[in-house]
Amino acid sequence: MPVRVLLVDDHEIVRRGLRELLDDEDDITVVAEAGGVDEALVFASSTRPDVAMVDVRLPDGTGVDLCRRLRALDVRCLVLTAFDDEEALVGAIMAGASGYLLKQVRGQDLVNAVREVAAGRSLLDPQTTARVLERMRRPPEVDVLDALTDQERRVLDLIGEGLTNRQIAEQLFLAEKTVKNYVTSVLQKLGMERRTQAAAWVARRSR
């Protein structure tokens, strides 16, 4: 039996090119085309494809979410995208995609990829696998502002505006000594020694 393929891409010209490429193969047939997530799920239920070739960016959702839902229907997913996006790559693999290819891929390589995925094999090369593992091991980024209290954030913002301790005190209706203590605490939490460093940091973030 030929491998049954569902094409999911919001660009008709892309789907047409993929259909022509795949339908030229005796052992592959395109059973349906979809331009979005909802349409793809309807066709997946009615045509029961072996492989869904899915774009990452769709008008009514993401290819990553679609992969997750297609896997629940026992459809293997091959992500085909124009974007070398690490976030999308990791998300797709975590959602159960069997492969991740860029649209610059050669036609014959794409055809072979469909066969590999249909046979239950993964298309993740060692370099891609290393990127995914590195991303998964990387600790989540923490916003240093989370360590500041609301009042400390206000003080930091005013430092960024170039205000002195006295001016900050007048603005926030605080004693100047209290402001000085806040400034000291903010600098410590940000790992800085001078208020000029904090002012420059605020300026960079606001660009």
Side-chain angles (χ1 to χ4, degrees):
M1 293 290 292
V3 176
R4 298 164 59 80
V5 178
L6 166 64
L7 301 176
V8 188
D9 195 295
D10 59 333
H11 294 99
E12 181 188 358
I13 192 69
V14 173
R15 297 197 307 268
R16 184 179 300 177
L18 291 172
R19 176 183 280 275
E20 290 178 359
L21 175 69
L22 296 175
D23 278 345
D24 276 346
E25 303 298 319
D26 295 335
D27 59 338
I28 299 175
T29 182
V30 175
V31 295
E33 298 178 24
V37 173
D38 291 341
E39 192 178 21
L41 291 171
V42 170
F43 282 132
S45 296
S46 61
T47 64
R48 293 295 173 182
D50 302 302
V51 177
M53 191 174 294
V54 179
D55 191 9
V56 169
R57 302 184 182 182
L58 298 169
D60 57 346
T62 69
V64 171
D65 180 56
L66 178 58
C67 282
R68 188 175 293 109
R69 297 167 74 177
L70 288 174
R71 290 301 297 136
L73 297 174
D74 202 29
V75 179
R76 296 185 176 94
C77 293
L78 175 60
V79 174
L80 181 66
T81 179
F83 306 97
D84 187 10
D85 184 339
E86 184 176 289
E87 192 78 29
L89 167 63
V90 174
I93 302 309
M94 296 297 288
S98 299
Y100 189 99
L101 298 174
L102 297 180
K103 287 181 177 177
Q104 297 93 311
V105 65
R106 294 190 311 128
Q108 191 55 51
D109 289 338
L110 183 62
V111 170
N112 292 337
V114 170
R115 294 189 180 113
E116 289 290 301
V117 169
R121 290 186 282 271
S122 172
L123 281 176
L124 292 181
D125 57 66
Q127 184 177 4
T128 301
T129 302
R131 286 175 62 188
V132 174
L133 292 176
E134 172 63 24
R135 177 61 183 270
M136 292 173 65
R137 294 188 187 115
R138 193 183 307 161
E141 294 183 5
V142 177
D143 191 334
V144 292
L145 289 180
D146 291 341
L148 303 183
T149 65
D150 291 342
Q151 190 74 298
E152 287 172 342
R153 291 190 188 196
R154 284 189 280 270
V155 169
L156 177 61
D157 288 338
L158 294 174
I159 290 175
E161 293 177 17
L163 273 62
T164 65
N165 285 357
R166 176 174 294 182
Q167 291 170 325
I168 294 174
E170 293 172 354
Q171 187 100 353
L172 299 180
F173 304 103
L174 297 171
E176 188 173 346
K177 183 177 181 180
T178 302
V179 171
K180 183 178 180 180
N181 291 336
Y182 275 126
V183 171
T184 300
S185 177
V186 167
L187 293 178
Q188 287 178 343
K189 290 182 179 181
L190 295 180
M192 300 174 184
E193 297 179 356
R194 296 181 298 278
R195 64 189 298 132
T196 52
Q197 291 175 289
W201 185 83
V202 171
R204 286 196 301 271
R205 282 181 66 96
S206 62
R207 287 175 187 168

